[in-house]
Amino acid sequence: MAVFPQVIPRRLFINSAAVFGGEAAARLATFIVAMVIARHFGPIALGRYGYALAWASILLIVPDFGLHLYVVRELSSSRDGLRNIFWSAHWLKLLLVGVVLLFTAAFGKWGVPDGGRRILLYVLVVRIILQTFSQVCMAVFRAYEQMHHIAVQQLANTALVAVWTAVTLALDASLPVVVLGLVLGQLLETCLGWKIMRMNFPPGSPLRWNSQIISRILLASLPIGITAVLQAFNLRIDILVLGRSANDATLGQFQAAACFPVAVFLVASLLMAVLFPKLSRLLRSESAEGSGYVLSLLKNAVLLTSLA
């Protein structure tokens, strides 16, 4: 046991366990809802849910737009700018959330003729709006390498979703009411994140709109944001194309079969979320340690890719 901290630093181990455990819990909530829909409502309902979830996962990237990585990068090297960065990120998110709401209203009215899909899309969009503000707090926790707070948020989210799903099934509720549990769980997660922020990393009073700071953040986040949106489209393009030509039952069967590539992408994203704060600090200045860290990541990535 004494050798273990020398191989894997204690903080890295705790952060990795927190991120993977918390995300596993969050994915479990979505999985529980999907399994209940498949078994209780059938493949047609699962297809509607999968189509709405695919669009929601893409729309979630719009208010993110690289802002979370920017927050992690800046705050991992210095905590002095917490107030400016935290509230400026929220101003940008409010604008981007407005874009998401306008698109959802227009697309739901003219692009989704199926009323069942449309209702689920609206419910899941409310969830992602809450989620995007929760992710600002999570970005601060990642920057300060206090990722156990993220696990607490996501575990609370999953617990509420599980209880809500059980109760709605017992009451024989409709499909939108069951999916509403994801919104309530996300609301709890977001409120819990704000409470943890105020207790441990108070961001101070809200700032007014500062064009200079916001422009700098937007320009720094723009390349990452565009890339993230394109990746999300690439990951979900199959569901979106099938949604226009196949029926809901076929879409539900395909959704069940497409879990593996989504899971692989998720694992890679979570691993980078754990390593990014340290990587940002090391690369702030040119050093042999930073170069060695990047080289080690590349070597291990190639090895894992070969094994896969």
Side-chain angles (χ1 to χ4, degrees):
M1 293 297 294
V3 180
F4 183 73
Q6 299 176 8
V7 179
I8 302 178
R10 182 172 180 272
R11 174 51 58 184
L12 178 60
F13 175 75
I14 293 174
N15 288 336
S16 301
V19 169
F20 278 89
E23 190 64 32
R27 296 293 167 174
L28 179 62
T30 307
F31 177 75
I32 289 173
V33 173
M35 287 295 295
V36 166
I37 292 173
R39 294 182 65 87
H40 190 75
F41 296 96
I44 293 178
L46 181 62
R48 291 173 177 171
Y49 172 74
Y51 181 80
L53 187 63
W55 271 109
S57 63
I58 294 173
L59 293 175
L60 174 63
I61 306 298
V62 176
D64 171 1
F65 218 67
L67 294 175
H68 306 147
L69 287 179
Y70 178 86
V71 171
V72 174
R73 188 190 72 184
E74 294 299 313
L75 295 181
S76 61
S77 58
S78 174
R79 299 191 181 191
D80 297 337
L82 173 60
R83 184 168 179 244
N84 287 333
I85 293 173
F86 184 81
W87 293 114
S88 296
H90 276 83
W91 274 114
L92 276 172
K93 278 185 174 292
L94 284 173
L95 290 178
L96 294 172
V97 162
V99 173
V100 170
L101 289 175
L102 289 175
F103 174 84
T104 303
F107 181 70
K109 183 175 179 61
W110 293 295
V112 186
D114 187 345
R117 290 183 181 182
R118 187 186 308 118
I119 293 174
L120 293 178
L121 176 63
Y122 291 158
V123 172
L124 291 175
V125 165
V126 174
R127 181 202 182 195
I128 67 165
I129 291 173
L130 293 170
Q131 186 176 358
T132 192
F133 289 106
S134 174
Q135 287 176 344
V136 180
C137 297
M138 291 183 178
V140 176
F141 302 153
R142 288 191 176 99
Y144 296 161
E145 298 189 60
Q146 301 293 318
M147 300 176 193
H148 56 282
H149 296 310
I150 299 176
V152 171
Q153 288 179 262
Q154 293 176 323
L155 286 170
N157 182 346
T158 302
L160 181 56
V161 171
V163 171
W164 178 269
T165 303
V167 171
T168 51
L169 281 180
L171 297 176
D172 198 24
S174 63
L175 177 59
V177 174
V178 174
V179 178
L180 183 63
L182 293 173
V183 177
L184 298 178
Q186 189 59 57
L187 177 61
L188 175 61
E189 176 189 302
T190 304
C191 293
L192 191 57
W194 274 83
K195 183 176 181 179
I196 295 173
M197 276 289 299
R198 289 198 304 269
M199 292 175 59
N200 298 277
F201 317 105
S205 58
L207 291 176
R208 294 183 177 180
W209 177 278
N210 188 317
S211 301
Q212 184 177 1
I213 296 176
I214 291 176
S215 299
R216 185 177 72 246
I217 294 176
L218 184 60
L219 290 175
S221 305
L222 187 62
I224 300 174
I226 294 175
T227 303
V229 171
L230 293 177
Q231 283 183 337
F233 262 111
N234 183 56
L235 196 63
R236 293 291 187 172
I237 191 67
D238 43 10
I239 299 291
L240 301 180
V241 172
L242 276 178
R244 306 300 298 179
S245 56
N247 57 40
D248 289 326
T250 303
L251 192 60
Q253 294 170 356
F254 183 85
Q255 175 78 3
C259 293
F260 179 74
V262 175
V264 172
F265 178 80
L266 175 63
V267 170
S269 300
L270 291 177
L271 185 59
M272 282 308 300
V274 174
L275 299 176
F276 189 72
K278 182 176 181 179
L279 190 61
S280 298
R281 285 198 307 272
L282 292 175
L283 295 182
R284 276 289 182 176
S285 59
E286 295 183 4
S287 64
E289 185 182 4
S291 300
Y293 196 77
V294 173
L295 184 60
S296 175
L297 286 179
L298 291 175
K299 288 180 178 178
N300 286 287
V302 171
L303 175 62
L304 292 175
T305 303
S306 302
L307 293 175

